[in-house]
Amino acid sequence: MKRIDTFYPVKADSIGIIMNYRCTNHCAHCLYACHPGVKDHMTEKWIEDILQSISDACPLAALHIGGGEPFLYPDFLRRLVKGVVQKGLYLEYVETNGFWIRKSEPGKLLESIKNAGCNRLLLSISPFHNAFLSMEDNLSAKRLITEVFGEDGIFAWHPAYYSFLQYHLTDKPVSFRSYIKKFSKEELLYQLTGIIYLHPAGRAALNFKEILPLKPAARYFQKNCHSELASPVHAHVDLYGNYLTGFCAGLTIGVNSAFRLRRLFEEGLSLNKYPILSILINESLDSLYAFASKKGFISDPKGYISPCHLCAHLRTYLFFSDERYAELKPDFFYHEMRKGFVD
């Protein structure tokens, strides 16, 4: 492939707005490594700037609002939903884990989000979320969403898990470690790869090493990431101005590029200041491996479950090296990922 100095991501046709990274949960599978301790810094200006950027660049894109857990900040969520509507953009859904079902007057909370202009909620259903919210609580949240938003107002992801969640107590949360003891490795593989598309990166790469098969780092050396990084499908913008593509958590396409999406799509991104992006776009993982090895990186002898797992390890090592790489954002992601890697 011909080497490129200016990278042109394809104009996004679906965009997730990461309103916050703080979450009530610390789920084993979280791609973005969200957790309760994250400090978020949303502002009114951020809402205005991010929606203007989306409106200017891709006004026909399908939007969804997620996190973290957006319902932790109901005032900002309402303002963001209203802003989307006022801009004439299409809001597909708002994501939630349903924690609010344990709060007082959850129906009024949902009504306020609906009145702001939201017509549909995505409710997370999985053994990862069941570690923090019981199955009965989840079913109650599902019923309330249907009551407030109607039968078409809920996007349950994924209801096939209910039959498996019933193997445990249904009125209390069940830790993921306790959950997996009930099933064979084959059954777990089906649940992780057959029911939902579980991306083997982020915190999932750290937690599923005992379930998914491991391969030596060299098995992934030929992987090139140009197509994923250029992908217009399910891209994300966050509250720090990062533009994230291809489910590549912790790897932003340019500094503050989420606030100037039209310019990014039309003029491209010069790769001169982004050595890690340049390697992943122009070369392959063996080059990033060699780049990190010169700085002392040693791969995990047990292996990796995916090229994304290896890439996350390489990037985490480089984040904590003496140099600073502008494309490795947000910072908290790498502090969280470091806990699962051997230095």
Side-chain angles (χ1 to χ4, degrees):
M1 184 174 69
K2 183 180 178 181
R3 186 175 186 85
I4 60 174
D5 296 317
T6 302
F7 174 58
Y8 292 87
V10 180
K11 184 171 75 170
D13 56 25
S14 58
I15 299 176
I17 302 175
I18 300 177
M19 194 182 92
N20 54 288
Y21 285 106
R22 182 177 165 228
C23 189
T24 55
N25 299 354
H26 194 282
C27 291
H29 73 311
C30 186
L31 178 63
Y32 297 104
C34 302
H35 62 85
V38 179
K39 306 296 183 184
D40 295 313
H41 306 285
M42 286 166 291
T43 65
E44 291 283 353
K45 188 175 187 308
W46 168 74
I47 293 177
E48 295 172 7
D49 290 350
I50 205 71
L51 293 182
Q52 188 61 52
S53 177
I54 294 171
S55 180
D56 288 343
C58 26
L60 300 181
L63 307 183
H64 63 274
I65 298 171
E69 172 52 55
F71 277 81
L72 280 171
Y73 303 98
D75 288 340
F76 268 98
L77 178 56
R78 283 188 286 268
R79 292 171 193 171
L80 181 54
V81 170
K82 286 181 180 178
V84 170
V85 174
Q86 289 169 356
K87 285 287 184 185
L89 301 170
Y90 171 51
L91 179 60
E92 197 171 9
Y93 56 84
V94 172
E95 298 175 355
T96 184
N97 61 36
F99 81 97
W100 36 261
I101 198 65
R102 293 181 176 177
K103 303 296 182 180
S104 61
E105 300 185 307
K108 286 187 177 180
L109 173 61
L110 297 192
E111 287 281 3
S112 72
I113 303 302
K114 179 183 178 182
N115 292 337
C118 174
N119 295 315
R120 201 177 193 208
L121 298 186
L122 181 153
L123 178 65
S124 298
I125 305 166
S126 77
F128 319 115
H129 299 88
N130 190 213
F132 303 92
L133 197 73
S134 75
M135 178 178 166
E136 287 187 4
D137 283 335
N138 188 280
L139 286 169
S140 295
K142 184 173 182 285
R143 285 192 293 269
L144 185 58
I145 293 172
T146 304
E147 179 182 323
V148 173
F149 288 87
E151 292 290 341
D152 295 328
I154 182 168
F155 176 17
W157 189 253
H158 194 285
Y161 271 119
Y162 280 136
S163 62
F164 294 102
L165 296 175
Q166 292 175 2
Y167 279 75
H168 287 271
L169 294 172
T170 61
D171 62 342
K172 292 182 176 62
V174 177
S175 73
F176 187 69
R177 288 197 174 275
S178 297
Y179 179 87
I180 63 177
K181 292 177 181 178
K182 290 283 187 179
F183 305 98
S184 67
K185 182 169 285 191
E186 289 73 22
E187 288 172 319
L188 288 170
L189 282 172
Y190 167 71
Q191 290 190 47
L192 298 179
T193 62
I195 294 180
I196 61 172
Y197 174 65
L198 181 68
H199 197 72
R203 200 180 288 133
L206 306 180
N207 289 316
F208 302 145
K209 294 184 289 186
E210 298 176 3
I211 301 172
L212 301 176
L214 296 168
K215 298 177 182 178
R219 289 288 297 273
Y220 303 116
F221 278 178
Q222 300 308 307
K223 172 64 178 175
N224 171 270
C225 303
H226 181 277
S227 60
E228 287 91 341
L229 291 169
S231 176
V233 180
H234 211 69
H236 285 80
V237 294
D238 73 9
L239 70 160
Y240 303 119
N242 298 313
Y243 182 60
L244 312 162
T245 57
F247 297 99
C248 297
L251 189 62
T252 182
I253 311 297
V255 175
N256 291 325
S257 54
F259 297 131
R260 47 180 181 80
L261 288 174
R262 183 173 180 178
R263 180 178 173 186
L264 175 66
F265 297 140
E266 293 180 354
E267 299 179 17
L269 177 73
S270 173
L271 296 175
N272 294 334
K273 297 180 180 179
Y274 304 102
I276 296 174
L277 269 180
S278 182
I279 291 172
L280 293 173
I281 290 168
N282 283 303
E283 302 173 52
S284 49
L285 278 183
D286 60 336
S287 297
L288 187 60
Y289 185 93
F291 181 79
S293 295
K294 290 178 181 178
K295 301 177 184 297
F297 174 80
I298 299 174
S299 64
D300 188 337
K302 294 181 180 178
Y304 300 89
I305 65 175
S306 70
C308 298
H309 184 192
L310 171 59
C311 183
H313 193 186
L314 290 164
R315 287 187 282 119
T316 300
Y317 181 86
L318 291 168
F319 179 87
F320 289 100
S321 66
D322 293 336
E323 297 183 50
R324 286 291 171 261
Y325 301 94
E327 61 265 57
L328 300 184
K329 295 290 182 182
D331 291 357
F332 89 87
F333 174 85
Y334 290 98
H335 286 275
E336 183 69 9
M337 294 296 289
R338 191 184 196 186
K339 298 174 185 178
F341 288 122
V342 178
D343 290 334

